């Protein structure tokens, strides 16, 4: 088993979070079906997509340790994915305004037949947002590629009234759980980058 980590993600935020804890990773992007299946719960969805990503990468790179993750913004029983356009983002952000939602991030580490997966759920509450703020935020370009149409680590930080749980999981990778999983596969944190 190689101790060089492969990151099965196109997300620059996940690569930055790994670097933050001193873990070097090479990107290996694999395409999987990220459509919500009929009757699929949000919990099952985020775990399935994460498992599919890590298994696709393991098939592409046998004998290598692979990390994959997926994040879903969930309000009630609705998964708020990346916005399709401005109107979609406006609807999502208006629904999050003055309300609480859950950010679910699953992370999986695998090598050959061994797969370990954990999911971290974090509660996030937004303050009330004005229509002008929502429009101005869209105009920054930041929400276009983000689940739920916002990035807590960016300009939308000013929308967040409180969180209960893992901040790094909301960004896209729960670092405590990730470090624990990586250690069990022989990948240490705080490597020299």
């Amino acid at each position: 088993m190689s101790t060089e980590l492969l990151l099965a993600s196109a997300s620059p935020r996940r690569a930055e979070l790994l670097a933050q804890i001193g873990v070097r990773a090479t990107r290996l992007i694999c395409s999987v079906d990220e459509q919500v299946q009929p009757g699929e719960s949000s919990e099952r969805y985020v775990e399935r997509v994460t498992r599919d990503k890590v298994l696709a990468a393991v098939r592409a790179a046998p004998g290598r340790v692979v990390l994959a993750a997926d994040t879903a913004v969930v309000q009630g029983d609705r998964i708020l994915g990346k916005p399709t356009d401005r109107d979609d983002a406006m609807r999502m952000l208006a629904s999050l305004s003055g309300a609480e939602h859950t950010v679910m991030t699953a992370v999986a580490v695998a090598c050959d037949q061994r797969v370990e997966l954990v999911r971290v759920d974090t509660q996030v509450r937004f303050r009330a947002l004005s229509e002008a703020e929502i429009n101005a935020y869209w105009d920054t370009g930041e929400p276009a590629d983000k689940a739920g149409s916002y990035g807590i680590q960016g300009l939308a930080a000013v929308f967040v009234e409180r969180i209960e749980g893992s901040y790094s999981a909301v960004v896209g990778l729960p670092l405590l759980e990730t470090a624990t999983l990586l250690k069990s596969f022989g990948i240490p944190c705080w490597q020299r980058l």
Side-chain angles (χ1 to χ4, degrees):
M1 174 171 64
S2 169
T3 58
E4 182 188 357
L5 181 66
L6 295 178
L7 173 60
S9 175
S11 167
R13 291 164 296 280
R14 289 193 179 108
E16 289 164 6
L17 286 165
L18 284 172
Q20 178 183 325
I21 61 170
V23 175
R24 237 182 311 224
T26 302
R27 241 177 253 232
L28 174 67
I29 300 167
C30 298
S31 180
V32 300
D33 179 9
E34 295 191 38
Q35 296 296 313
V36 179
Q37 304 301 317
E40 188 173 41
S41 70
S42 50
E43 296 88 353
R44 185 161 172 76
Y45 166 78
V46 75
E47 291 174 8
R48 174 187 57 83
V49 171
T50 301
R51 184 173 270 105
D52 288 353
K53 286 178 183 179
V54 82
L55 291 175
V58 164
R59 283 191 296 275
R64 302 288 296 279
V65 178
V66 178
L67 181 144
D70 193 65
T71 299
V73 174
V74 180
Q75 190 172 43
D77 60 355
R78 290 183 322 137
I79 297 172
L80 305 179
K82 294 177 183 175
T84 56
D85 57 23
R86 180 187 194 100
D87 290 340
D88 191 32
M90 298 298 105
R91 278 189 296 276
M92 280 191 238
L93 290 166
S95 76
L96 296 174
S97 173
E100 190 169 286
H101 60 278
T102 303
V103 178
M104 296 178 183
T105 298
V107 59
V109 178
C111 183
D112 296 326
Q113 301 302 311
R114 181 180 170 206
V115 178
E116 303 290 337
L117 183 144
V118 295
R119 189 187 80 238
V120 176
D121 298 351
T122 302
Q123 303 306 310
V124 180
R125 182 170 180 82
F126 272 20
R127 65 171 172 79
L129 309 177
S130 70
E131 187 176 334
E133 283 179 302
I134 293 171
N135 279 304
Y137 182 52
W138 173 262
D139 290 342
T140 68
E142 187 176 274
D145 70 339
K146 311 267 189 312
S149 300
Y150 79 93
I152 195 170
Q153 73 283 2
L155 300 172
V158 300
F159 299 158
V160 178
E161 194 172 276
R162 70 175 178 270
I163 72 167
E164 185 178 325
S166 170
Y167 172 81
S168 64
V170 179
V171 178
L173 194 64
L175 292 179
L176 174 102
E177 293 79 4
T178 297
T180 301
L181 286 173
L182 290 174
K183 184 178 179 184
S184 76
F185 281 82
I187 307 275
C189 291
W190 308 335
Q191 300 170 29
R192 294 192 89 124
L193 300 177

